[in-house]
Amino acid sequence: MPRNDLIESTYEQALKFARQTPYPKYEQRIETLEKLKQVIIRNKNEINTALFNDLGKSEYESQISEMTFVIDEIDVHLKNLKKWMSPRKVKTPLVLQPGSSQITPEPFGLVLIIGPWNYPLNLIATPLIGSIAAGNITILKPSELAPHTSKILVKISKELNSPFLHALEGGVGETTQLLEKKFDHIFFTGSPRVGKIIMSAAAKHLTPVTLELGGKSPTVIWGDQDLDIVASRIIWGKLINTGQTCVAPDYLIVQEKLKKELIEKLKNKITEFYGNDPINSPDYGKIINENNFNRLISLIEKDKVLLGGESIKEKLKIAPTLVESDLDSPIMKEEIFGPILPIISIKELSEIDHIIALNPRPLVMYLFTLDQSLVDYTEKNFKAGALCVNDTIIQISNFHLPFGGIGNSGMGSYHGIHSFDNFSHFKPVIKRKQMLDLTLRYPPYEGKLKPTLKLLKWFGH
Ligand code: NAD
């Protein structure tokens, strides 16, 4: 069937089922999640191969940052779904007695999830889990730039053979066609540029959106501390998935007196982790495509390179690259999303505010310090999707924490209960009895204002 016909028929089918099944039962949701888990596990080898073909990911990275992440998320949902689905009881003021009040989570209905290419399984499957758990019918649109994983996701959806899930392959044209349709919620992960396109398409139908976007996440290193650990954590967070991670440390702001030693440690860590020829290490991936390869190469100012800078165009590989930057460098003007790490040094702590303010609100703010007052200051003075102190990236692995951006780095959040909540409408429900009818609220109002205000003051909260 031609792709646009497939999109039409899939949408009609999914919409029909969503309208016929507005409140899927707990058992249906659990069964779908369990089947999803089995199908993913059954396809483990093919998923690993697809991730290798798309991004050159090592089996270790594929397992840790994609497969295991998704399976754990399913397990968290299986364990907690009953509790999360239950109405959340709230107080009922005396003036509304006899009565009871609760907040009942209900499914939105038909959901569209659009994914990026960098963690092409994780960033489609993790929101999908929340959407299924919350009782929605979901259409997935994986990224065309990770075509092998996109194919596997369609295969998984076919093997699951469930009316709760459909997967459609395609690029800009297909996504545009989908966006013309009315959904009850759209969940998008990708760039702020495309996020704006998604939001304006959604606005035509007044469809609510979750936008998981990107940005330049700063990493501040200030004060005496164990620079060996600092370097390990920065290099790991920067180079996992070859720097193509939305929450990767984008650039470093380091205290001048620490700079020399930190740079030495960063260099040593690159060799320790990836050997003397990191670009050819089996643990080091490739850039997704030629466009991004060329974009990244153009960001490397040769005279500022401290380490790396080499590339192999035929293999889309760029070596881990450290550069000494200043605020006017082109690399400081856009999200890097690759294995290049600019280092900026500062003498005064107050310079941080100015540097960070040059870019829109980031997805994460990283801070390495042993100074508690600086931690407190950072927490209360820098707006970011998240704050992570003395580490990188690991904040996303705590399912108790919401994962999402602020401003230019996104809106809405997910993971664990936050996924269930993100894909639910919280319906306020109040149930009263047909007795004790206070007549003060009914017209005629003459003489009733004062006693009504008194009543509300004493019994209204
Ligand atoms: P992208 O915005 O180019 O593409 C994302 C999706 O949008 C793809 O499925 C693509 O097919 C679709 N798309 C692209 N152009 C479109 C258009 N004109 N109209 C409709 N749909 C379109 O993003 P990407 O290159 O896949 O990913 C990189 C970006 O995503 C970075 O900015 C990164 O920070 C961000 N990101 C954010 C997160 C997060 O969780 N916050 C995770 C991964 C990536």
Side-chain angles (χ1 to χ4, degrees), residues 114-118 123 141-145 170-172 175-176 179 188-194 197-198 212-215 246 335 337 363 403 409 414:
I114 303 170
W117 50 261
N118 60 335
L123 296 174
K141 208 299 291 174
S143 171
E144 74 283 14
L145 299 184
V172 177
T175 317
T176 308
L179 287 171
F188 169 81
T189 305
S191 59
R193 179 186 70 81
V194 180
I197 296 173
I198 305 295
E212 298 288 336
L213 310 177
C246 56
E335 181 184 3
F337 220 57
L363 199 50
F403 171 48
S409 55
Y414 69 125

Side-chain angles (χ1 to χ4, degrees), residues 25 38 49 59 73 129 169 176 232 235 307 352 367 376 431 436 438 440:
K25 292 193 170 50
Q38 285 157 17
T49 308
E59 189 183 343
E73 180 82 13
I129 295 159
E169 284 195 275
T176 308
S232 292
I235 291 301
L307 180 84
I352 298 174
L367 170 66
D376 294 343
K431 296 172 187 166
L436 287 180
L438 278 175
L440 273 177

Side-chain angles (χ1 to χ4, degrees), residues 100 194 302:
S100 67
V194 180
K302 289 231 153 51

Side-chain angles (χ1 to χ4, degrees), residues 220-228 230 255 258 261 367-370 390:
V220 174
I221 305 108
W222 187 268
D224 294 335
Q225 53 193 305
D226 184 342
L227 290 182
D228 203 57
V230 174
Q255 187 176 11
L258 306 177
E261 190 187 343
L367 170 66
F368 286 88
T369 189
L370 300 181
N390 291 326

